[in-house]
Amino acid sequence: QVQLVESGGGLVQAGGSLRLSCAASGRTWRTTVMGWFRQAPGKEREFVAQTDWTGDHTNYANSVKGRFAISADNVKNTMYLQMSSLEPEDTAVYYCAAGSTLSNAERNYYYWGQGTQVTVSS
């Protein structure tokens, strides 16, 4: 099993920044890809960004491209999501996920964290 714990969420004004962290523990060698997803109130969960542990392969949703940056530290087994120029539309619960295929599809991620709330006020 792999355990994922997110942190770093909170309340921020529009235009501000936040950095989310996702600490992985357990059998992390089973996972080669890490991703962030989010779910806004009343909406389905959606893909945000993904990376492999080397950081050589990253991918972003169009809605966050240029504003968010994903990175991973394979020594600390921790993934990050640096979010800048935040907008009220970014308000959601952000979930960390781990899998073995570079994909933006939820079905390719086997392990999930509990989520951290990000609220952007206008």
Side-chain angles (χ1 to χ4, degrees):
Q1 289 289 347
V2 175
Q3 293 77 43
L4 303 174
V5 179
E6 303 98 334
S7 61
L11 174 64
V12 64
Q13 289 188 334
S17 300
L18 278 176
R19 189 176 82 154
L20 304 182
S21 299
C22 173
S25 61
R27 300 182 177 184
T28 57
W29 63 84
R30 290 186 171 184
T31 64
T32 55
V33 176
M34 299 291 289
W36 288 100
F37 290 77
R38 67 185 181 185
Q39 187 167 21
K43 295 186 178 181
E44 293 187 353
R45 190 157 56 184
E46 64 177 4
F47 168 78
V48 175
Q50 67 185 188
T51 184
D52 60 7
W53 279 109
T54 69
D56 290 340
H57 300 91
T58 60
N59 188 29
Y60 296 90
N62 288 334
S63 59
V64 306
K65 200 171 293 184
R67 300 188 299 121
F68 291 10
I70 191 171
S71 61
D73 185 330
N74 60 8
V75 174
K76 295 182 178 180
N77 285 335
T78 301
M79 175 180 64
Y80 305 96
L81 185 68
Q82 179 66 48
M83 305 185 294
S84 303
S85 301
L86 283 161
E87 304 167 352
E89 293 74 22
D90 296 316
T91 295
V93 177
Y94 283 71
Y95 295 92
C96 168
S100 58
T101 303
L102 278 171
S103 169
N104 60 4
E106 289 189 37
R107 64 179 180 275
N108 290 317
Y109 290 85
Y110 315 136
Y111 305 103
W112 293 81
Q114 293 299 309
T116 184
Q117 177 70 46
V118 171
T119 303
V120 184
S121 63
S122 56

